[in-house]
Amino acid sequence: MSGKQNSAVGEQRSPALGKKNKTPKPESRLAMVRRARRINRELAEVYPYAHPELDFENAFQLLIATVLSAQTTDLRVNQTTPALFAAYPTPEDLAAAEPEAVEEIIRPTGFFRAKTKSIMGLSAAIRDNFGGEVPGRLADLVTLPGVGRKTAFVVLGNAFGVPGITVDTHFMRLARRWKWTDQDDPVKIEAEIATIFPKSEWTMLSHRVIFHGRRICHARRPACGACPITHLCPAYGEGETDPEKATKLLKYEKGGQPGQRLKPPPDYPGKPAPAVRAIG
């Protein structure tokens, strides 16, 4: 955390001596938008290397990996998909697979029977309806089995360069903590956030917010004392504010630990995750 940020935090958190505490005025819409955009700018400085944390080489692999990531970690998916893609590299291959064989490969990701049905079903739909190529339009992607708006925007933003807001559990939590929205429905949150930020920022905004949620602003014990944007956070104090204790809560590269990807981008400052599938 820079000295400038520390100073800003200190100024915000310590009321002036001799003055009575006053009830703060409600934040205006304009002030919230300005604060939200400043958060995005500062997160861009904190995470210049933000990226999707699923390993993939093409749109099909990203689509399959994203479907498999439901109710599990990206790390678990990344440790599982190499064997899956080696056995079934194309939609045609996966659509024609034996379900039992696919189930055995993806078993570590959990809910493997339902996920097998989804990834084989979407592979067949891509083969039959889209000429074997993953479609690059939202309206087409959401027709595929197991593919909702969140999954579609991950694929569109990272495989096709089409801007989209990915409202996963991390994004939803932080958007509410930061008072960008009070909605709890992902589609409504997506719609509200879309009015705050320019479309060109949507994909990278999603990466930055999700990165911050995974590394610092955790669900149960946010590392408030180690957070670089406390001076912009209305929820400061919900987590550990002691800097030393908060530092121990940091995850992935911020905590000196491996990240989620086995093959991270060249500019990623952390360590690649281990390839062992059975990791906990």
Side-chain angles (χ1 to χ4, degrees), residues 226-253:
C227 178
I229 60 167
T230 54
H231 53 296
L232 300 170
C233 181
Y236 174 81
E238 287 187 8
E240 180 57 66
T241 57
D242 179 83
E244 184 176 350
K245 292 179 180 179
T247 298
K248 295 178 181 179
L249 300 176
L250 300 179
K251 295 183 179 179
Y252 307 124
E253 78 281 357

Side-chain angles (χ1 to χ4, degrees), residues 29 32-41 43 165 171 175 178 180 189-206 208-209:
R29 163 77 181 180
M32 182 275 289
V33 170
R34 287 175 173 170
R35 180 173 56 81
R37 292 183 177 185
R38 185 176 172 189
I39 286 175
N40 182 42
R41 291 194 301 271
L43 289 182
I165 298 170
F171 192 101
W178 292 336
W180 294 356
I189 292 174
E190 175 198 323
E192 287 200 2
I193 301 305
T195 68
I196 299 174
F197 298 93
K199 192 172 184 178
S200 60
E201 286 290 313
W202 290 355
T203 298
M204 288 308 302
L205 169 73
S206 300
R208 294 164 190 151
V209 173

Side-chain angles (χ1 to χ4, degrees), residues 17 25-26 29 39 42 70 82 89 102 107 143 155 182 188 207-208 221 229 268:
L17 294 176
K25 295 180 180 179
R29 163 77 181 180
I39 286 175
E42 296 200 11
V102 177
R107 183 184 292 267
T143 67
V155 175
D182 59 4
K188 293 180 180 179
H207 290 323
R208 294 164 190 151
R221 293 188 68 193
I229 60 167
Y268 178 65

Side-chain angles (χ1 to χ4, degrees), residues 44-77:
E45 296 179 2
V46 177
Y47 307 107
Y49 49 85
H51 60 271
E53 295 193 85
L54 292 166
D55 286 325
F56 69 98
E57 296 179 356
N58 53 55
F60 176 63
Q61 289 188 0
L62 179 57
L63 176 59
I64 295 297
T66 306
V67 171
L68 293 180
S69 69
Q71 304 299 314
T72 191
T73 63
D74 286 355
L75 172 57
R76 179 69 75 179
V77 174

Side-chain angles (χ1 to χ4, degrees), residues 14 22-24 53 59 66 80 90 102 108 129 136 142 153 188 192 204 210 212 231 252 255-256 265:
S14 300
K22 295 182 179 180
T23 302
E53 295 193 85
T66 306
T80 303
T90 69
V102 177
N129 303 331
V142 296
F153 281 132
K188 293 180 180 179
E192 287 200 2
M204 288 308 302
I210 292 169
H212 194 65
H231 53 296
Y252 307 124

